Amino acid sequence: MLKVMVACGCGMGTSQIMKTRAQQVLKELGIQATIHHTSLDEAQSIANDFDLIIISEAFVKNFKVREKTKVVGLKNLLSKTELKEKIQALGISE
């Protein structure tokens, strides 16, 4: 099972919506996942505990992660289409 983290500035509203979008996209792709939502600050400190991190494109450069962890940066945090395209481009599977 894929361990996914979504993060926004405060880890409240936007990350909760991102979590819902990620659940929908991963289900469409047939990928089982557990999804955690949090703030960017917490996300940076626990990033290596996850297989996939979904954040704003503006913050990708701030994440130093192990090779196994993939980081998806989104221009539109609420776009299912963009998220699906980027997950497929990475070849992510269970």
Side-chain angles (χ1 to χ4, degrees):
M1 183 170 292
L2 195 67
K3 288 181 64 180
V4 180
M5 176 172 47
V6 296
C8 69
C10 294
M12 296 168 117
T14 303
S15 66
Q16 182 63 43
I17 296 168
M18 291 169 63
K19 178 181 177 180
T20 301
R21 296 284 194 276
Q23 287 170 328
Q24 294 166 346
V25 167
L26 293 168
K27 184 176 180 179
E28 288 174 16
L29 294 173
I31 299 171
Q32 291 187 349
T34 58
I35 304 174
H36 174 71
H37 71 97
T38 189
S39 67
L40 285 169
D41 288 338
E42 181 185 4
Q44 290 174 332
S45 66
I46 61 173
N48 287 321
D49 294 338
F50 293 85
D51 303 307
L52 175 64
I53 299 168
I54 303 168
I55 56 174
S56 168
E57 193 173 73
F59 299 111
V60 170
K61 64 182 182 287
N62 297 339
F63 276 78
K64 306 295 184 231
V65 295
R66 61 191 168 122
E67 189 174 320
K68 183 182 172 195
T69 301
K70 305 295 181 200
V71 179
V72 169
L74 300 174
K75 288 181 185 179
N76 179 348
L77 296 177
L78 307 180
S79 171
K80 283 177 50 179
T81 302
E82 181 183 1
L83 179 58
K84 188 173 186 177
E85 289 172 357
K86 291 191 174 182
I87 288 174
Q88 288 174 316
L90 288 173
I92 294 173
S93 61
E94 284 188 75

